[in-house]
Amino acid sequence: MHRKAFSIFLILSLGSNLLAQTKATPKEYSVYGRVLKDIYKQNRETYSNKSEFVIINETKVDPELKMPSNAKYEGLVKEFNVQNASPAVLERNFPRGAYSYYLVPQAEVDELNEKGRLDYEKRFAIDKLNPRILNPGGVSYTVFYQKYPESSGYYSLSRVGFNGLYAIVLVTGDLGWNGFSRYYILKRVKGDWKVKTYGGIEWR
């Protein structure tokens, strides 16, 4: 009897925690849509596939990325930090556009990357015995692209900070062989968000 009561309590607790999770707002999705549209346009100049987005379904920030220090954006950055004090759940509420996307948990991406790492190590151990193989092991991220062959990689989005007509959002993209961590500052112009500037770090 006690075990049954505890099970019911656990289910109710988990359910209430899920309901209590913060969700991104429609205003935030309008900013996400604008930024992803710009990234998609850049990707189409580089990739021959459909450049689909694989997006982590919970917001997060890159603590190592330096935010803009311009006094003009001081209030905006402050609001960004307040918004990102806790993560938010992302749902399939992104504006419809030219791009398509998947929402996946971080755990799934981590599992695919771990399988890729193990597969790489196994192939490397075999290939290094053959001196004619110039690239032993190949690459470690092939497992991810086997599941998402039309993607350009996977992306993490922060929550959006708003201040007047301005908005700021952080996007991190892991594209296998390269990637980036960027903040985007947007301005509301005639009812639409326009990317005003962006900055950050790129890696290869």
Side-chain angles (χ1 to χ4, degrees):
M1 183 66 180
H2 291 296
R3 183 179 296 176
K4 183 176 181 181
F6 176 76
S7 298
I8 294 173
F9 171 78
L10 185 61
I11 292 171
L12 291 175
S13 297
L14 291 173
S16 63
N17 287 338
L18 289 173
L19 291 174
Q21 284 184 307
T22 303
K23 297 181 179 180
T25 65
K27 192 175 180 181
E28 288 179 279
Y29 283 108
S30 64
V31 172
Y32 295 145
R34 175 70 262 179
V35 172
L36 290 176
K37 186 176 180 180
D38 278 25
I39 294 174
Y40 176 79
K41 183 178 179 181
Q42 295 170 5
N43 286 349
R44 295 304 296 137
E45 297 174 357
T46 304
Y47 302 105
S48 59
N49 61 15
K50 294 180 182 179
S51 299
E52 295 173 334
F53 288 109
V54 175
I55 302 171
I56 304 301
N57 65 357
E58 186 175 76
T59 63
K60 68 176 184 177
V61 298
D62 179 355
E64 296 184 2
L65 179 65
K66 292 183 178 179
M67 302 301 284
S69 56
N70 190 322
K72 179 180 180 181
Y73 300 124
E74 183 177 347
L76 184 60
V77 172
K78 182 178 179 180
E79 289 301 315
F80 173 87
N81 291 331
V82 171
Q83 276 287 84
N84 285 280
S86 58
V89 175
L90 296 176
E91 300 174 310
R92 292 196 64 83
N93 294 330
F94 292 81
R96 292 185 177 182
Y99 61 85
S100 56
Y101 65 93
Y102 301 91
L103 281 177
V104 304
Q106 181 69 55
E108 178 184 323
V109 172
D110 291 343
E111 182 180 356
L112 292 173
N113 286 338
E114 178 63 9
K115 287 181 179 178
R117 185 187 68 81
L118 294 174
D119 183 56
Y120 168 83
E121 291 182 353
K122 182 179 178 180
R123 284 184 285 114
F124 181 84
I126 297 172
D127 292 349
K128 71 178 182 178
L129 299 175
N130 187 344
R132 289 183 293 181
I133 297 179
L134 301 178
N135 183 27
V139 291
S140 62
Y141 44 80
T142 53
V143 173
F144 174 86
Y145 288 102
Q146 285 170 359
K147 182 163 186 179
Y148 299 105
E150 297 295 333
S151 75
S152 55
Y154 63 92
Y155 298 79
S156 298
L157 306 173
S158 73
R159 298 212 65 186
V160 182
F162 296 97
N163 189 23
L165 295 175
Y166 290 89
I168 184 170
V169 64
L170 191 158
V171 182
T172 300
D174 191 320
L175 313 182
W177 52 90
N178 59 15
F180 63 84
S181 187
R182 302 178 191 143
Y183 64 80
Y184 288 81
I185 294 177
L186 302 90
K187 184 178 182 181
R188 192 78 170 170
V189 180
K190 296 181 180 180
D192 292 323
W193 290 106
K194 304 292 183 183
V195 175
K196 185 174 178 63
T197 187
Y198 67 86
I201 53 177
E202 314 279 327
W203 64 82
R204 297 186 181 277

